[in-house]
Amino acid sequence: MSAKRISPYVYPGLDLVPGDIDIANFLAAVGQRHNVKVTEMMSVCRDQKLVELRQCVWYVLYHREKKNYSRLGRYFNRDHATVLYGVKKVQNLLSIGDDQMKEVLKSILLIYKNCKHYGQATDD
């Protein structure tokens, strides 16, 4: 008999490795900082502010947490290509020096840093 792999959808958090950020807490903190609900960020709403926040969150999770596009897409109920597009868009806006994108990303990175180190012992 071969062992079947248990889906992380059956047991949420099963596929987390030590040091991974809790995405739900991270999204809650981002939502609180930017005065939006997590359900709005997860929704299909195309409001500019929500799209920008979503794409910045994807950018941070992709580059800092090394989450792949497919995994982020599944979490946000999006296609992997949508996440890929969002991450590339943030990269492109940063490369041309878009001040608004820099400010949003700066605030999200600060939240990420606080969520990442909250309650964890550091080896420094």
Side-chain angles (χ1 to χ4, degrees), residues 48-49 52 56 93-94 97-106:
Q48 172 117 16
K49 181 179 180 179
E52 190 175 82
C56 284
L93 288 172
L94 291 174
D98 185 89
D99 291 332
Q100 183 177 346
M101 184 58 67
K102 284 181 185 178
E103 287 301 314
V104 172
L105 189 60
K106 182 179 175 181

Side-chain angles (χ1 to χ4, degrees), residues 47-81:
D47 179 61
Q48 172 117 16
K49 181 179 180 179
L50 293 175
V51 170
E52 190 175 82
L53 281 176
R54 242 182 256 134
Q55 290 173 342
C56 284
V57 165
W58 294 340
Y59 179 87
V60 169
L61 292 174
Y62 178 76
H63 286 287
R64 298 295 172 104
E65 286 290 304
K66 305 302 183 206
K67 306 291 187 219
N68 64 35
Y69 299 122
S70 296
R71 184 169 176 192
L72 288 172
R74 282 192 304 271
Y75 189 84
F76 283 86
N77 198 24
R78 302 289 194 287
D79 186 70
H80 78 280

Side-chain angles (χ1 to χ4, degrees), residues 82-93:
T82 303
V83 178
L84 172 85
Y85 172 79
V87 171
K88 296 281 185 185
K89 183 174 178 187
V90 172
Q91 287 173 341
N92 291 338
L93 288 172

